[in-house]
Amino acid sequence: MSLANAAAEYMLSDALLPDRRGPRPKGLCLELPLDRMVKFVAVGSPLLLMSLAFAQEFSSGSPISCFSPSNFSVRQAAYVDSSCWDSLVHHEQDEPGQYKMKSLWPHKALPYSLLALAMVMYLPVLLWQYAAVPALSSDLLFIISELDKSYNRSIRLVQHMLKIQQKSSDPHVFWDELEKARKERYFEFPLLERYLACKQRSHSLVAIYLLRNSLLLLFTSATYLYLGNFHLDVFFQEEFSCSIKTKLSDETHVPDLITCRLTSLSVFQIVSLSSVAIYTLLVPVIVYNLTRLCQWDKRLLSIYEMLPAFDLLSRKMLGCPINDLNVILLFLRANISELISFSWLSVLCVLKDTTSQKHNIDTVVDFMTLLAGLEPSKPKHLTHRMCDEHP
């Protein structure tokens, strides 16, 4: 074996990827980075604000302070505070002798409404986790494995071509067989391409992904409606008039109305404004997640088009990108560290763009053939010799 052939063998051996015969990768990212961020913020912020509300209640004691008459004892004043907090109704005089009542229950329900909001915002995550993740995980494991195997098959094919060229005594026979193999498409392994083409006609994953983000938008809109209808009505009301006369109807010295002050109003306002601000910032992110389904990741596809029989970009991706294949491509991009072949093919794409024989290089087989010292097509001197022999 000549030094050139030995160097070519070593170069091709180094280009081979290690076989994945051990345990399957368990670190697959089954949630896109932006989706994970939305989940943590949408679910975590209500829980954080709920802890703030509870901390204020535990630290300052009673959330209201009522101005009881001076002749009330300490126990009677405590009873007034407890009774007014239990009812939490503001009595406003409408006509002489008649009062208009307004409930201030959002103050009392604040921590529990935040807990309910966090639970509701977690429902889309559960939907994705149980409806989409099992199928997506198996798809990604198969596609990642096949992409790396397809790359390795291409390298092994070039190794085999090099051995045949070394053993062939007649170069005409070798090049005739090589051209016949390319014409009959022997170098193509269409299993993966056909599988991805089937995914292009499937819409289960994309439907669940659209439903997840649509539910987030729906729940965010419901949060706005809740805050606008209930919190805004009591947002600036720090004092209210409480009536305990119905409970102490026999006591003549008890006034009709007692003024009370909400000591937790500042926390209520902070929680309300923070909720509006947080979910307002999340809306553009959710909308952006939806708009990503309207275009293909052409850079990822263009790199893998160097594999034989992987011409999805040029032939099959001309229709609507809202399908399962586009969702899978987004997750392949998120799991790019698991695609060992991606870095090799990226380098080959860069070298391919800088070579002077671009018209002869379509796949990794062509490029590695060139690097191994073989011509990507039949040499001109052999073509001219055949023409001379067969005028």
Side-chain angles (χ1 to χ4, degrees):
M1 181 184 294
S2 66
L3 290 177
N5 291 333
E9 282 289 343
Y10 294 148
M11 184 269 296
L12 293 172
S13 299
D14 292 340
L16 281 173
L17 304 179
D19 290 334
R20 293 178 181 264
R21 294 184 178 177
R24 288 186 170 187
K26 297 182 179 180
L28 282 179
C29 177
L30 299 174
E31 203 169 22
L32 297 177
L34 281 179
D35 290 330
R36 188 182 299 113
M37 185 269 290
V38 169
K39 178 186 70 175
F40 285 144
V41 175
V43 178
S45 58
L47 296 177
L48 182 63
L49 295 174
M50 183 185 69
S51 64
L52 174 64
F54 277 125
Q56 191 274 339
E57 183 177 342
F58 293 147
S59 61
S60 61
S62 177
I64 65 172
S65 176
C66 295
F67 302 99
S68 303
S70 57
N71 59 346
F72 274 32
S73 64
V74 176
R75 293 186 61 184
Q76 287 175 323
Y79 172 78
V80 170
D81 288 351
S82 175
S83 178
C84 290
W85 176 249
D86 289 341
S87 62
L88 208 60
V89 175
H90 173 55
H91 294 74
E92 185 177 358
Q93 189 168 3
D94 191 13
E95 296 178 1
Q98 294 184 354
Y99 296 95
K100 181 181 178 181
M101 293 185 295
K102 182 176 74 171
S103 177
L104 305 177
W105 66 267
H107 287 277
K108 187 186 297 185
L110 179 64
Y112 310 103
S113 61
L114 290 171
L115 178 60
L117 177 60
M119 294 172 64
V120 167
M121 287 297 180
Y122 195 67
L123 291 179
V125 179
L126 290 178
L127 171 69
W128 178 259
Q129 191 71 29
Y130 289 100
V133 163
L136 177 64
S137 176
S138 61
D139 285 339
L140 288 177
L141 288 173
F142 172 75
I143 293 171
I144 289 173
S145 175
E146 284 300 313
L147 286 174
D148 289 346
K149 286 179 180 178
S150 182
Y151 169 83
N152 269 356
R153 282 194 293 263
S154 300
I155 301 300
R156 291 193 179 101
L157 180 60
V158 177
Q159 288 180 322
H160 185 65
M161 290 166 54
L162 187 62
K163 291 179 181 178
I164 292 177
Q165 193 265 348
Q166 292 171 3
K167 296 178 181 178
S168 177
S169 57
D170 187 356
H172 294 285
V173 176
F174 169 75
W175 285 109
D176 288 342
E177 291 184 357
L178 183 58
E179 289 183 356
K180 180 182 178 182
R182 284 175 174 164
K183 184 178 179 181
E184 300 293 334
R185 305 182 71 177
Y186 292 160
F187 298 161
E188 298 184 2
F189 309 100
L191 173 63
L192 178 60
E193 184 185 19
R194 291 179 181 176
Y195 182 77
L196 295 180
C198 290
K199 286 298 175 181
Q200 191 182 4
R201 296 188 293 270
S202 174
H203 298 87
S204 58
L205 286 177
V206 73
I208 298 172
Y209 189 79
L210 289 173
L211 180 59
R212 170 183 177 167
N213 287 278
S214 299
L215 286 176
L216 286 173
L217 290 176
L218 177 63
F219 295 153
T220 302
S221 302
T223 303
Y224 288 149
L225 290 176
Y226 172 78
L227 293 174
N229 288 336
F230 299 106
H231 281 219
L232 188 60
D233 191 36
V234 297
F235 189 78
F236 298 102
Q237 187 160 356
E238 186 175 7
E239 296 183 353
F240 68 98
S241 299
C242 173
S243 174
I244 60 171
K245 194 72 173 178
T246 56
K247 299 181 180 180
L248 301 173
S249 57
D250 297 335
E251 302 291 337
T252 58
H253 65 281
V254 175
D256 292 337
L257 298 175
I258 296 177
T259 302
C260 297
R261 178 175 174 270
L262 290 165
T263 58
S264 60
L265 180 64
S266 58
V267 173
F268 181 83
Q269 292 174 337
I270 290 174
V271 169
S272 301
L273 291 176
S274 299
S275 299
V276 172
I278 289 171
Y279 288 106
T280 301
L281 293 176
L282 281 184
V283 168
V285 181
I286 299 172
V287 173
Y288 173 73
N289 286 340
L290 291 173
T291 57
R292 283 192 300 176
L293 296 175
C294 298
Q295 59 182 359
W296 298 100
D297 188 354
K298 293 185 178 180
R299 182 174 177 272
L300 180 66
L301 290 171
S302 62
I303 288 176
Y304 274 96
E305 277 211 333
M306 288 198 71
L307 295 178
F310 199 91
D311 50 355
L312 290 170
L313 181 61
S314 58
R315 290 197 300 115
K316 293 187 174 61
M317 289 193 172
L318 302 177
C320 178
I322 302 178
N323 51 56
D324 287 358
L325 179 57
N326 202 7
V327 176
I328 291 173
L329 291 177
L330 290 175
F331 280 90
L332 282 177
R333 171 66 67 178
N335 290 278
I336 206 69
S337 60
E338 299 293 337
L339 276 169
I340 309 175
S341 58
F342 180 80
S343 57
W344 280 91
L345 289 174
S346 299
V347 173
L348 293 180
C349 281
V350 174
L351 296 177
K352 168 190 166 185
D353 294 337
T354 58
T355 185
S356 59
Q357 300 182 16
K358 296 180 183 179
H359 60 282
N360 290 328
I361 300 176
D362 296 322
T363 66
V364 64
V365 175
D366 299 329
F367 195 85
M368 297 307 289
T369 300
L370 183 63
L371 291 180
L374 294 175
E375 293 287 340
S377 59
K378 183 181 289 189
K380 293 183 179 179
H381 68 276
L382 293 178
T383 306
H384 294 327
R385 185 182 301 175
M386 287 188 66
C387 292
D388 293 339
E389 293 176 356
H390 304 282

